[in-house]
Amino acid sequence: MNNLKKILPLLLSIFSFLANAQRERILFNFDWQFSYDKISWRNVNLPHDYLIEQPWVAPSADEKAEMNNEAANIKSRLSARAFKELNNGYYKKTFVPDESWRNRRVLIDFEGIMLVGDAYLNGELIGKTDYGYLGFECDITDKLKWGKENTIEVSAYPQNPKSSRWYTGGGLYRDVNIILTNKEVFFTRHPLQITTSLDNSFLTKKSDHKVSAAASPVQVYLLAEVSNLSKRKIDSLTFSVSITDAAGTVVASKILKKKYYARQRTNEYRLDSLAIVSPVLWDLDNPHLYTAHIAVLDNSGKPYDEWQEQFGLRTIEYGADYGFKLNGKKVLLKGLANHHTLGALGAAAHEKAIEKRIKMLKQFGFNHIRTSHNPYSESFLRLCDKYGILVVDELYDKWLKQFCGDRVSWTEQWQHDISEWIRRDRNHPSVVMWSLGNELQQEWGMTYADWGVTNFRLQKTLLNRYDTTRPVTVAMHPRFRDVDTDSLPAPLVHETDIAAYNYRYMYFPGDSRRFPWMKFYQSEANTQGLGKNFFEMDLDKVVGLAYWGAIDYLGESMGWPRKGWTLGEFDITLQPKPTAYFIKSYFVDDEPLVHLSVLKGAAANEWNGVVQGTMELTENWSGGATPVTLTAFSNADEVELKINGKSMGRLSNDRAHADKRNKFVFTNIAYEPGKAEAIAYNNGKPVATHAIETPEKLSALLIETDNSEWKSDGLDLQHVRIFAVDKKGRRIYNEKELFSVTIEGNAEIAALSNGDMTCDYLNVPLSTDKKTAEYPLHDGAAMIILRSQKASSLSDKAKTVKLTVNYGNKIKVTRKIELKF
């Protein structure tokens, strides 16, 4: 503490320098132009997915003939890519460099171009990405024309229909930034590695290194990479290092000198450790974040450059007898595995939409996301850090050119991809496991003809150059076990730190007996086996599971007219289906819950050799065939069903059978208009209720918004839900007509959806100003997503966005939504 007091004045002086330091990050998302042909251009702002606006392409006559001309479930060359034609897209932005940029190093940073892309400045190629899920930067310092207009151009190529197994989106779908630094001495790209005395080492699968989460103080180790492009000899560099807690209070700091090894080169500096005396651990319920601040100074104490990055203090451990521990406590990964897209927004990586998903998942008991099958955006990981989500961070689908951008050989690009990926993501406390790929062990001929073993070893060696604090795995295909005997795991499994099996959790017990050191993770679980594929695992020993496609998504259609995956527990608008409450009943088993619905039928398809499906349930209590079957999901001891107050019986929770646990099925129930109610009991006392009711005639449109702090920054979103309701506010599921929407004020319509994957309306407005649109209700509901428009100042009038919805000739409703400036 005394040392801190001595150097605090110097730190404050340095912080004042940092306020005007050389490094500056300028968001470059606004005022781009977009074209399909480089002739007709229109204005767009980023993030932007141009493929989402492409019309749906129905299967051709030839494709229908190949499918025996069936009217439904026709697949085509575009089924995987959401029945969208894969046109190229072109962007350009003209700007005059600000005079403040002179005598500074100028970079343009692209967080991603989907699927692959090239960047040009004034007609000269300056950079490219061959794998659009990862970013790159271009040094344009010596290429700028000062005092004149400069033009950045970007070409985006979605490649061909077979270049991905799902809808990828297309274009500048993530942020673009201008970065300014000192020209001579500066931190490199992703320059900082932060480790702590709490970190385990996973260099060997059988490591028994254990660290106490209660250890205090915690030592923080920083490894910084600095470039010196000057021609001057610099004998040493001074580093100012400090750590602040979540409240911004400095909890550790140092000023230190390091010998400089050479000029005109890049060096790594391992800085002295800093001690946090009273550490607060990062946890699921209290995801406390620290920030490391580091500056490299000249001899006068003036900063050449500065960098800051958030991190968390936590321990992670894996063991065959307990699965996974966070901070010394057993934690079961309860998650989902989904693609990166965001429903009707397509691939455009809107931070607010990502946040909405994460908050919803937390409410339903999820604590884990597997990034299938590619790195998500940087904002995604920041939000997982913020909200306490455990991430299995995945790099690839298959180790083949076809599925890794399809422009250059995979063997030519993985070395670049791994270093960019790990350096970018390694300081996020939410990341608890690396995954190098998905369903790979069936590819015998991948480079070395050994079922992927050598490819894995090569990649892991490079990965461990940048991080050794997390285990490394790949997800195994549900088929293709050992080539000689299907009773043994594939050779690739034995190379991984965690045995990650897609769907085949039933192999865990036998493989565990043969190989007792193995640690098991169900990297994909199917919705057909909800409940069963959870309860049949040894929950005390496994790492956890991730439900495949728990949120409906575009692409990977099982056949026209469905535009995508429809077997999730949440529809594409994030509206929970009844089965979402089934998952919540066992993900949050200490919170009494009951949820009632009517069985419509069952949907099942074979996918990758695995039956995928779900119960088709509805909360629509409005007649139809009788008798009916009602299903209640509950974690209580018993559930009673009442129809208009009359008991239809009480059922007990069959906890002895995994396929029946938390499911209460009431059959041969005569339909009566009114109210169907489920009452849950523990120890004979009611603990939860849920009812569905027959609505009366349409009376109003209920408008719900989700963002009370909607910002006028041109990036923020407002999700607006519309429900057709009766005079008592009960949803009318049978309403499905068109509605029209009009926006007045500093906002535009970014997307529309109603949860129906067979809907032929596009998810984007057709109007050029994005102020008006039409869309149908489905099951009496729809969602409109509004994007604020950037404004430097707002008049009192402009602070309000006016939303007007007309539903046929029946109802007109106006809602005013406030914008924050």
Side-chain angles (χ1 to χ4, degrees), residues 510-562:
D511 288 355
S512 178
R513 287 192 295 272
R514 296 182 183 93
F515 311 102
W517 58 84
M518 278 189 169
K519 299 167 278 287
F520 296 98
Y521 163 57
Q522 192 178 170
S523 38
E524 289 177 22
N526 65 343
T527 53
Q528 176 79 6
L530 284 181
K532 181 180 179 181
N533 51 23
F534 179 83
F535 291 117
E536 284 190 342
M537 296 191 299
D538 187 338
L539 299 179
D540 292 329
K541 292 185 176 181
V542 298
V543 172
L545 87 172
Y547 279 112
W548 178 257
I551 302 174
D552 289 351
Y553 57 87
L554 291 170
E556 288 194 293
S557 167
M558 294 180 181
W560 182 267
R562 288 178 289 182

Side-chain angles (χ1 to χ4, degrees), residues 702-745:
L702 178 64
I703 306 294
E704 294 181 352
T705 59
D706 75 334
N707 187 357
S708 61
E709 298 294 323
W710 192 20
K711 298 179 180 61
S712 58
D713 58 5
L715 299 172
D716 207 4
L717 301 180
Q718 183 76 255
H719 293 79
V720 181
R721 286 200 184 275
I722 302 174
F723 296 100
V725 297
D726 67 7
K727 64 183 180 181
K728 293 184 178 180
R730 294 175 295 201
R731 179 172 167 185
I732 304 175
Y733 284 81
N734 297 331
E735 292 292 338
K736 56 184 178 181
E737 295 181 26
L738 278 178
F739 67 88
S740 63
V741 56
T742 302
I743 296 294
E744 300 174 53

Side-chain angles (χ1 to χ4, degrees), residues 32 43 78 172 178 264 266 340 531 564 600 634 718 752 754:
W32 287 79
N43 294 331
L78 297 174
L172 290 173
I178 292 290
Q264 293 286 310
T266 297
H340 68 290
K600 293 169 60 179
S634 179
Q718 183 76 255
L752 305 97
N754 60 18

Side-chain angles (χ1 to χ4, degrees), residues 194-220:
I194 305 171
T195 56
T196 79
S197 55
L198 297 180
D199 287 325
N200 251 315
S201 173
F202 290 91
L203 281 175
T204 63
K205 295 195 292 290
K206 300 177 183 179
S207 172
D208 58 359
H209 180 208
K210 297 289 190 298
V211 178
S212 170
S216 181
V218 171
Q219 300 296 324
V220 178

